[in-house]
Amino acid sequence: MNTLKTRTIALGSLLSVGISGQQDVQAAGKEPKTPNFIIIFADDMGYGDVGAFGHPTIKTPNLDKMAYESQRWTNFYVAAPVCTPSRAGLLTGRLPVRTGMSSEKRRVLFPDSKGGLPEKEITIASSLKQKGYATACIGKWHLGHLPQYTPNAHGFDYYFGIPYSNDMDRVGTENYMETTTKPKIEYFNVPLMRNSEIIERPADQTTITRRYTQEAVKFIEQNKKKPFFLYLAHSMPHIPLFRSPEFVNRSLRGIYGDVIEELDWSVGEVLKAVINNKLDKNTIVIFTSDNGPWTTFHEQGGSAGILSGGKGGTYEGGMREPTIFWSPGLIKPGVIMEMGTTMDLLPTFCKLANVTLPNDRIYDGYDISPVILGTGHSLREVVYYYRDTEVFAVRKGAYKAHLITQSEYGPDKPVVQDPPLLYNLNVDPSEKFNVAKDHPEVIEEIKKILEAHKATLTPVENQLEK
Ligand code: MG
């Protein structure tokens, strides 16, 4: 088969049916067919934990193949370096500071939290529902477990998963490090839900990746005749680490590697379901992670590879994620070094699905469909690195200024950097060489950008402190 030709034809057909030439299709008497979307979201996986992103001892053949066949993004970010605000940013296309989903006091939601993603926020799922998409959330939610905040309340037809992190609802007397690094299922009384019903408690985490995968495959098969959006948010590799019996002691990288290799197997099953149901010409699958590796857990945490820092912090390792866009039919293959963020997914999906964004709110995402289709460039020039409700760093083009620094989880207080630390991320992605002295004009420009950004913020009720 001539792959290049197939890609060209498929890309042309998407452009004519979904984006620019809808009239041609309508004139031919056919309904415009918009793409299906699948987001596979890992939890706490580092930039360096995928073979295609350089890991020497974790085998990820499915992710590597996915990257080779389509697009590997090397400058793709999340909205925040911890779970709850990162997920809020992904699903709403808005910075968590605008939705009340970030806080210094409690960095994420907990089982005793009373807040969640406000009802007035519009998720990717609710947006796509307007065009008749079938929608499912499978996996970890972490945007509020009370009825008004659940996936079903936010545009998802179907939900199967855990409502918050897998290390919560901890029972027993052992200390936290002990229970999380030598875990047993019964230490974590986390419920497994199907829609609003608890079907298992504690969730059997050894089989959770496998069961999420089975649910995902079933959803794809059941909805192959209509457009769908699947948000598959794995609980792993967030500690405590669990994997199915067949993945025990499989990886040279130890238990963390076993867990990633099971996730990679899961990716393979999802892609197989897409291909076997002949949906690969019209489905976009995105793989990324909610934040960087949890380095507090040493060997049981992941690796940010060439990047410094990890989960919880605003160095690159906390927020730049190993990201792959796959669709043999639609996406122009290559390595993408332009900037993108998870907040760009909502505007991009809406563009491809012909959904008009409401104009009553500020979106922080851009439509990056021209980059994935190979027809243009990313409009994104700036990334804000929020730690909770404060901007700690700003990237403009190649340069990143750290205005405030603080270790990810240490006892130290934030340190205001004056002048800010400045790194050229194209030349120095590891943030080792401060070039502030040589580029005062860049620092001035970044300060102005930040000032203008802050003027767009309005106070909102804090959901994490309720
Ligand atoms: Mg996380």
Side-chain angles (χ1 to χ4, degrees):
M1 188 172 72
N2 183 332
T3 324
L4 186 62
K5 195 173 165 195
T6 312
R7 278 180 186 132
T8 312
I9 291 166
L11 176 64
S13 72
L14 176 84
L15 289 170
S16 65
V17 298
I19 304 168
S20 55
Q22 222 178 81
Q23 304 87 333
D24 301 345
V25 178
Q26 281 161 348
K30 288 183 193 161
E31 279 295 304
K33 193 162 164 30
T34 55
N36 307 307
F37 303 104
I38 300 175
I39 298 173
I40 306 176
F41 210 38
D43 194 350
D44 296 3
M45 187 166 161
Y47 185 84
D49 286 326
V50 181
F53 284 79
H55 202 284
T57 53
I58 302 178
K59 282 188 188 165
T60 55
N62 293 298
L63 286 165
D64 298 351
K65 186 167 179 285
M66 196 179 163
Y68 174 74
E69 288 178 351
S70 286
Q71 290 182 350
R72 178 165 64 91
W73 286 60
T74 58
N75 286 271
F76 196 87
Y77 293 90
V78 285
V82 288
C83 299
T84 296
S86 172
R87 285 150 203 268
L90 167 94
L91 283 178
T92 62
R94 283 152 56 75
L95 282 164
V97 71
R98 298 194 200 280
T99 59
M101 295 297 280
S102 54
S103 154
E104 277 84 34
K105 292 195 187 120
R106 303 193 95 186
R107 302 191 71 187
V108 297
L109 289 166
F110 288 89
D112 65 349
S113 297
K114 303 280 185 292
L117 189 65
E119 288 167 275
K120 62 176 185 288
E121 293 301 327
I122 305 170
T123 64
I124 295 175
S126 329
S127 308
L128 295 174
K129 287 296 308 167
Q130 296 170 36
K131 295 286 178 179
Y133 274 66
T135 54
C137 170
I138 293 167
K140 169 171 151 180
W141 177 240
H142 215 180
L143 294 173
H145 56 278
L146 298 180
Q148 65 273 33
Y149 306 125
T150 57
N152 298 122
H154 274 297
F156 289 98
D157 303 327
Y158 181 67
Y159 173 51
F160 178 88
I162 62 173
Y164 33 72
S165 294
N166 62 331
D167 64 335
M168 294 180 174
D169 287 331
R170 204 165 61 86
V171 290
T173 54
E174 289 87 348
N175 71 40
Y176 180 74
M177 286 303 276
E178 198 63 21
T179 48
T180 47
T181 55
K182 294 179 189 153
K184 290 185 179 158
I185 291 160
E186 58 270 25
Y187 291 166
F188 309 93
N189 198 31
V190 178
L192 180 66
M193 321 272 303
R194 192 184 301 282
N195 296 316
S196 56
E197 192 193 339
I198 295 178
I199 58 167
E200 189 176 288
R201 191 167 198 172
D204 180 353
Q205 296 198 43
T206 57
T207 55
I208 210 158
T209 299
R210 191 170 72 210
R211 286 187 286 168
Y212 289 164
T213 307
Q214 288 162 347
E215 292 280 335
V217 168
K218 197 163 92 186
F219 175 78
I220 293 166
E221 278 166 1
Q222 283 171 346
N223 292 285
K224 61 184 172 194
K225 298 237 163 71
K226 49 183 160 180
F228 64 80
F229 166 51
L230 168 61
Y231 172 51
L232 173 54
H234 283 287
S235 317
M236 295 290 141
H238 190 291
I239 57 91
L241 300 174
F242 288 98
R243 70 287 202 219
S244 305
E246 56 268 41
F247 285 89
V248 172
N249 296 332
R250 233 176 64 169
S251 173
L252 292 174
R253 171 62 176 84
I255 185 171
Y256 184 85
D258 289 349
V259 167
I260 300 297
E261 292 187 14
E262 186 167 17
L263 290 177
D264 181 75
W265 163 83
S266 172
V267 167
E269 293 301 298
V270 170
L271 298 191
K272 223 188 285 174
V274 169
I275 293 165
N276 291 347
N277 287 292
K278 300 190 171 40
L279 299 169
D280 49 317
K281 299 284 181 284
N282 197 41
T283 301
I284 296 175
V285 184
I286 296 149
F287 179 90
T288 191
S289 174
D290 71 333
N291 52 251
W294 207 349
T295 54
T296 313
F297 291 90
H298 301 164
E299 288 183 355
Q300 292 205 16
S303 165
I306 192 175
L307 308 177
S308 56
K311 171 177 176 170
T314 46
Y315 277 83
E316 290 295 290
M319 292 176 62
R320 199 195 294 203
E321 305 305 328
T323 304
I324 303 166
F325 282 70
W326 179 87
S327 181
L330 304 176
I331 289 179
K332 189 179 178 208
V335 178
I336 305 297
M337 296 179 185
E338 295 184 51
M339 283 188 271
T341 76
T342 49
M343 291 176 292
D344 301 332
L345 298 179
L346 183 145
T348 302
F349 292 180
C350 286
K351 172 73 177 178
L352 294 173
N354 303 316
V355 174
T356 308
L357 295 182
N359 55 14
D360 64 343
R361 63 199 65 212
I362 293 174
Y363 282 97
D364 295 287
Y366 295 93
D367 165 27
I368 54 170
S369 64
V371 189
I372 63 180
L373 300 174
T375 59
H377 293 283
S378 175
L379 295 173
R380 179 169 289 285
E381 292 181 342
V382 176
V383 172
Y384 299 102
Y385 301 72
Y386 271 86
R387 180 178 170 124
D388 310 322
T389 57
E390 188 58 69
V391 178
F392 271 44
V394 180
R395 177 176 180 178
K396 163 76 181 13
Y399 289 99
K400 174 179 176 185
H402 288 266
L403 301 126
I404 308 172
T405 54
Q406 185 177 10
S407 70
E408 289 86 0
Y409 287 100
D412 56 315
K413 296 264 180 272
V415 176
V416 174
Q417 300 287 347
D418 189 17
L421 311 175
L422 188 73
Y423 299 101
N424 180 333
L425 294 178
N426 286 349
V427 174
D428 176 25
S430 307
E431 298 170 279
K432 283 183 180 162
F433 310 109
N434 180 12
V435 294
K437 253 196 339 307
D438 305 329
H439 298 285
E441 77 292 350
V442 175
I443 291 176
E444 279 318 300
E445 188 192 3
I446 287 179
K447 280 183 173 169
K448 279 192 191 126
I449 289 169
L450 180 57
E451 209 177 302
H453 168 68
K454 284 190 169 172
T456 70
L457 302 174
T458 47
V460 289
E461 184 183 18
N462 194 298
Q463 297 293 326
L464 274 51
E465 294 170 16
K466 277 165 90 174

